[in-house]
Amino acid sequence: MSKKIDAALKDLKKALKTHAEVVGGSAVSLKKAQRASSKVAAAATAYAEAVHSKSGMGNPFDDMGPLALERATLDSLSAERDALQKRSTGPIDVQKL
């Protein structure tokens, strides 16, 4: 196995283990969970880049889509997007004194 792939794999395993420990407890800290999730994502990206660099193969995580959001969250985001699209983005009128 390539040294770079092996190192990236070790980092990914460590990030996943830490993530599981953080989110597996009875009381989950949002900041710690977000930080752990970010480290997993970064480690997965580094692993995919090491694999691509060595073998030319694509990202092994490509078929994993984002986690589904709740319908209420999707509706809220859609409404916010639509409201932003309706806003005027042209010049702002300035009143002269």
Side-chain angles (χ1 to χ4, degrees):
M1 181 177 340
S2 160
K3 288 182 181 181
K4 287 184 180 181
I5 292 175
D6 188 46
L9 176 60
K10 285 179 184 176
D11 290 343
L12 179 55
K13 286 179 181 180
K14 181 179 176 183
L16 285 168
K17 185 176 188 297
T18 300
H19 184 270
E21 290 170 354
V22 168
V23 299
S26 58
V28 179
S29 164
L30 179 60
K31 283 186 178 185
K32 285 183 181 180
Q34 289 173 333
R35 190 176 300 119
S37 293
S38 177
K39 288 182 180 181
V40 168
T45 298
Y47 176 79
E49 288 172 353
V51 168
H52 179 72
S53 174
K54 175 68 178 168
S55 67
M57 301 298 293
N59 186 338
F61 306 109
D62 272 348
D63 64 338
M64 298 173 58
L67 296 176
L69 297 175
E70 294 178 357
R71 172 70 8 215
T73 302
L74 290 172
D75 292 343
S76 173
L77 291 170
S78 295
E80 185 177 350
R81 180 202 59 218
D82 294 343
L84 288 170
Q85 285 177 340
K86 291 179 182 178
R87 288 188 184 163
S88 173
T89 57
I92 299 172
D93 293 329
V94 178
Q95 293 179 344
K96 295 181 181 180
L97 298 174

